[in-house]
Amino acid sequence: QVQLVESGGDSVQAGGSLRLSCSASESTISSAWCMGWFRQAPGSEREGVAAITRDGRTSYADSMKGRFTISKDNAKNTLYLQMNSLKPEDTALYYCAADPPPWTQCRVTTVAWKYWGQGTQVTVSS
């Protein structure tokens, strides 16, 4: 059973930055799995942020391009989400997710996302 543990969530002011981390219990991040970040704001549906493959190919939801960067450290088996120029509307519970192969395209909308973390809270105040 794969376990994903997010960390790095915090309360920040608008314009600030945060880097979220996701540690995996197995070598999912350095393997052929598709890894991703999602978020869910209160009263809203969960939405995809970004996804990344083993060899570092990334994809972003259209609304997330420009301020968010997904990356990973295979040696540390850790997934990251760098968030810059944060806005109050970025306030949400942020989740990392993983899906084993096979998959056709590693994108937030095209993968089944079999495993999920518990989430880390990001709160952005104006």
Side-chain angles (χ1 to χ4, degrees):
Q1 180 74 16
V2 173
Q3 290 186 334
L4 304 172
V5 179
E6 303 94 336
S7 62
D10 204 348
S11 296
V12 297
Q13 291 191 329
S17 298
L18 280 175
R19 188 177 78 160
L20 306 183
S21 300
C22 172
S23 296
S25 60
E26 300 178 12
S27 59
T28 56
I29 293 175
S30 60
S31 67
W33 291 46
C34 178
M35 305 295 300
W37 285 100
F38 292 77
R39 70 182 188 183
Q40 187 167 18
S44 300
E45 294 186 354
R46 186 160 54 192
E47 61 177 336
V49 176
I52 188 168
T53 64
R54 175 181 61 179
D55 57 1
R57 286 175 291 168
T58 60
S59 65
Y60 295 87
D62 289 341
S63 61
M64 306 297 174
K65 293 179 181 178
R67 297 186 298 119
F68 293 177
T69 303
I70 189 172
S71 64
K72 62 191 180 75
D73 186 328
N74 290 340
K76 295 182 179 180
N77 210 31
T78 302
L79 178 72
Y80 301 103
L81 182 67
Q82 178 67 42
M83 306 186 294
N84 299 325
S85 301
L86 284 164
K87 304 175 182 180
E89 51 264 42
D90 294 319
T91 294
L93 191 61
Y94 284 73
Y95 300 88
C96 71
D99 199 72
W103 36 261
T104 303
Q105 287 186 313
C106 179
R107 298 178 182 273
V108 293
T109 56
T110 61
V111 174
W113 301 112
K114 183 175 182 179
Y115 298 101
W116 293 84
Q118 294 301 305
T120 185
Q121 179 67 40
V122 172
T123 302
V124 184
S125 58
S126 58

